[in-house]
Amino acid sequence: MIFTVAVDGPAAAGKGTIGRALADRFGLAHLDTGLLYRAVGARGGDPVVAAQSLTPADLARDDLRTLAAGEAASRVAAIPAVRAALTRFQREFARRDGGAVLDGRDIGTVICPEAEVKLFVTASPEVRAHRRWLEVGGDQEQVLAEVRARDLRDTSRADAPLKAAGDAVTLDTTMLSIDDAVQRAADLVRARLARARARP
Ligand code: C5P
């Protein structure tokens, strides 16, 4: 069965948590596509060469979750040749047999416009910055400034900017607990999965 769940949205909106929970609940493979861009940014040197030669070891680095790695990721993610080098792997993952959940910025718009489920997970910048600050600490105002800077870069780049697909379902987690958000997403996936399984 081919079945793709695309989970897109800005930084710290809850896409990773929702994506992992959906994959666990429905037995689907999961890919955090942000990790690919983080690994390219962290490698240093020519980002296009890094994107063309990423290895599992690059993805296993323990410094990919820092604010600095997120910042570097969003810089290299604006380079079209970097995005192109990572496209095929993501497309194949999305359409692998057994179904997959991918979270990122352009899964429903560019990587897999044919995804059976498209979610756009968002929240106010203040709430997202607060969540990020709880994880990484430091100065709250600075974390908010970095969230806003990353939003601006991700939404304004020319190639595959962050935006909701026309047929995506938006989940605004500003006032929603993560459990409620997962529940709503799971209800949608369950319904579409039943339809996909009934396909001849
Ligand atoms: O989701 P995460 O914060 O790990 O993503 C890091 C950066 O990688 C994002 O700010 C974005 O610029 C880039 N990215 C992207 N397309 C994706 C996933 C991440 O451009 N599908």
Side-chain angles (χ1 to χ4, degrees):
M1 178 203 56
I2 306 293
F3 185 83
T4 309
V5 182
V7 186
D8 290 307
K15 352 176 252 310
T17 309
I18 292 172
R20 265 189 306 279
L22 292 175
D24 282 354
R25 202 174 283 199
F26 296 100
L28 306 169
H30 176 241
L31 179 65
D32 169 2
T33 64
L35 216 52
L36 303 175
Y37 293 92
R38 285 171 181 264
V40 170
R43 178 90 90 74
D46 182 337
V48 179
V49 172
Q52 287 165 342
S53 59
L54 270 191
T55 64
D58 289 312
L59 300 177
R61 290 173 64 134
D62 59 8
D63 58 352
L64 298 182
R65 295 277 167 210
T66 62
L67 280 181
E71 181 67 19
S74 94
R75 288 181 194 281
V76 299
I79 304 169
V82 166
R83 306 198 71 82
L86 300 175
T87 297
R88 184 159 160 217
F89 173 71
Q90 294 177 82
R91 285 207 173 128
E92 287 178 358
F93 194 96
R95 299 316 261 172
R96 80 210 312 256
D97 194 21
V101 181
L102 287 84
D103 60 74
R105 303 290 188 289
D106 61 341
I107 308 304
T109 50
V110 175
I111 298 297
C112 193
E114 67 275 39
E116 282 73 13
V117 180
K118 295 183 190 177
L119 292 167
F120 192 78
V121 182
T122 188
S124 73
E126 290 76 13
V127 164
R128 289 186 286 118
H130 185 67
R131 290 179 191 154
R132 195 38 62 93
W133 174 76
L134 290 176
E135 279 170 24
V136 299
D139 176 42
Q140 267 205 76
E141 281 305 311
Q142 192 188 337
V143 176
L144 177 58
E146 286 177 5
V147 162
R148 287 191 195 280
R150 197 123 78 83
D151 283 357
L152 182 65
R153 198 174 305 123
D154 287 351
T155 53
S156 63
R157 69 178 174 227
D159 192 18
L162 167 67
K163 65 167 190 243
D167 52 351
V169 172
T170 296
L171 267 181
D172 188 332
T173 66
T174 307
M175 311 285 269
L176 208 58
S177 75
I178 202 66
D179 286 349
D180 288 342
V182 167
Q183 198 50 51
R184 287 191 197 186
D187 289 345
L188 183 66
V189 171
R190 192 173 301 107
R192 303 264 169 98
L193 203 48
R195 215 190 287 169
R197 286 190 171 133
R199 272 193 310 235

